[in-house]
């Protein structure tokens, strides 16, 4: 027994912080913690069963990536989303992804194409199983990460990684706007076909049209309530 336990690493504050960040992201993105909801350290520590030390570190990380907002003299709140937020997310994401495809286009080979198809297959399985909405969002982000990783443009990849938590929140809103718990199974068929094809201009145009449609649907859902 001692030999077996020797391989087990003790939980540290950083481990708890990471798990807490992941759980909080899931609660926020799924809508279980509603946009604009007020949070308290006492309530969160009790609900999550952790001490305030790693919780405070987790909250600082969530504030840094923009999912939690700290308002002076008022407290902590789950981020809300404004029309300006939506337009900024849409415009930046569109510009970044179009640039990523311009950078990675000539780097594509059979290995990278196979990798993209595997990511799409994993997303499709998660959608069909319909048991993990947050997991579907993570798979969708992993699919879109492909062009950034393949570009080998480090500043671009850094910008994408900074944007992803906001996109998790945006994707959750987008699925609520469509009245479903995840993307449609066929939602990325055209994306995959064009990404594996030979027409970069068509890919760039599709990105603009696809993301604009999502923006308009999400806007109409949020601001019609």
């Amino acid at each position: 027994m001692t030999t077996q336990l020797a391989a087990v690493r003790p939980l540290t504050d950083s481990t708890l912080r990471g798990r807490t960040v992941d759980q909080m992201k899931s609660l926020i993105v799924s809508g279980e913690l509603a946009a604009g909801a007020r949070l308290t350290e006492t309530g969160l520590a009790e609900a999550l069963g952790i001490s305030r030390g790693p919780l405070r570190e987790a909250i600082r990380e969530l504030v840094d990536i923009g999912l939690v907002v700290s308002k002076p003299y008022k407290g902590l709140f789950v981020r809300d989303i404004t029309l300006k937020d939506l337009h900024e997310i849409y415009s930046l994401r569109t510009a970044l992804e179009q640039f990523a495809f311009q950078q990675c286009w000539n780097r594509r080979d059979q290995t990278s194409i196979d990798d993209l198809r595997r990511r799409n297959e994993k997303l499709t399985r998660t959608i069909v199983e319909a048991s993990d909405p947050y997991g579907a969002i993570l798979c969708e982000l992993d699919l879109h990460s492909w062009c950034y990783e393949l570009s080998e443009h480090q500043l671009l990849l850094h910008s994408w990684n900074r944007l992803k938590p906001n996109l998790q929140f945006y994707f959750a809103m987008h699925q609520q706007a469509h009245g479903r718990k995840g993307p449609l199974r066929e939602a990325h068929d055209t994306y995959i076909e064009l990404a594996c094809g030979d027409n970069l201009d068509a890919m760039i145009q599709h990105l603009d049209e696809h993301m604009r449609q999502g923006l308009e649907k999400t806007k109409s859902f949020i601001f019609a309530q």
Side-chain angles (χ1 to χ4, degrees), residues 6-224:
V8 177
R9 296 180 180 179
L11 292 176
T12 63
D13 279 356
S14 62
T15 305
L16 289 173
R17 181 196 67 209
R19 290 183 178 180
T20 302
V21 169
D22 288 343
Q23 188 168 357
M24 289 287 291
K25 281 182 181 179
S26 179
L27 291 170
I28 292 170
V29 169
S30 68
E32 292 183 59
L33 285 176
R38 189 173 187 275
L39 306 173
T40 65
E41 283 189 8
T42 301
L44 286 173
E46 183 177 340
L48 296 171
I50 62 173
S51 64
R52 291 194 180 186
L55 175 61
R56 285 172 180 160
E57 291 293 322
I59 288 172
R60 275 196 283 271
E61 185 171 338
L62 290 164
V63 169
D64 183 54
I65 62 180
L67 290 180
V68 171
V69 178
S70 178
K71 298 182 179 181
Y73 310 110
K74 293 183 179 180
L76 296 167
F77 297 84
V78 177
R79 73 163 295 173
D80 209 339
I81 196 158
T82 66
L83 185 60
K84 183 173 182 290
D85 291 331
L86 286 178
H87 278 286
E88 287 187 356
I89 291 171
Y90 157 76
S91 59
L92 181 57
R93 183 192 171 201
T94 302
L96 287 178
E97 198 139 332
Q98 288 175 334
F99 182 59
F101 268 99
Q102 290 168 346
Q103 294 296 304
C104 80
W105 198 252
N106 293 328
R107 296 179 181 275
R108 298 172 306 152
D109 56 19
Q110 192 57 52
T111 299
S112 60
I113 293 298
D114 290 344
D115 178 36
L116 177 61
R117 293 193 186 280
R118 279 193 296 270
R119 296 185 194 211
N120 189 47
E121 288 167 2
K122 182 179 179 181
L123 171 59
T124 301
R125 286 196 304 271
T126 307
I127 292 170
V128 170
E129 291 168 2
S131 60
D132 187 5
Y134 181 58
I137 288 174
L138 295 180
C139 286
E140 188 170 3
L141 286 170
D142 185 54
L143 175 71
H144 285 281
S145 292
W146 175 82
C147 58
Y148 296 91
E149 295 168 12
L150 188 59
S151 75
E152 297 187 5
H153 191 302
Q154 292 306 308
L155 286 177
L156 175 62
L157 183 59
H158 177 73
S159 298
W160 165 248
N161 286 330
R162 290 285 298 175
L163 182 62
K164 279 198 292 188
N166 292 280
L167 280 176
Q168 291 176 359
F169 192 75
Y170 171 78
F171 280 2
M173 291 283 188
H174 181 69
Q175 303 313 331
Q176 291 175 40
H178 284 83
R180 57 182 188 247
K181 293 185 177 181
L184 291 173
R185 179 176 180 174
E186 66 275 12
H188 292 86
D189 287 355
T190 302
Y191 182 97
I192 298 299
E193 179 183 354
L194 291 172
C196 297
D198 57 7
N199 191 334
L200 175 58
D201 289 340
M203 183 77 239
I204 297 299
Q205 182 177 351
H206 171 71
L207 289 170
D208 185 58
E209 293 172 352
H210 179 72
M211 293 181 191
R212 186 180 298 277
Q213 288 173 2
L215 170 69
E216 294 304 322
K217 183 69 176 181
T218 306
K219 280 168 54 178
S220 64
F221 166 72
I222 295 174
F223 298 106

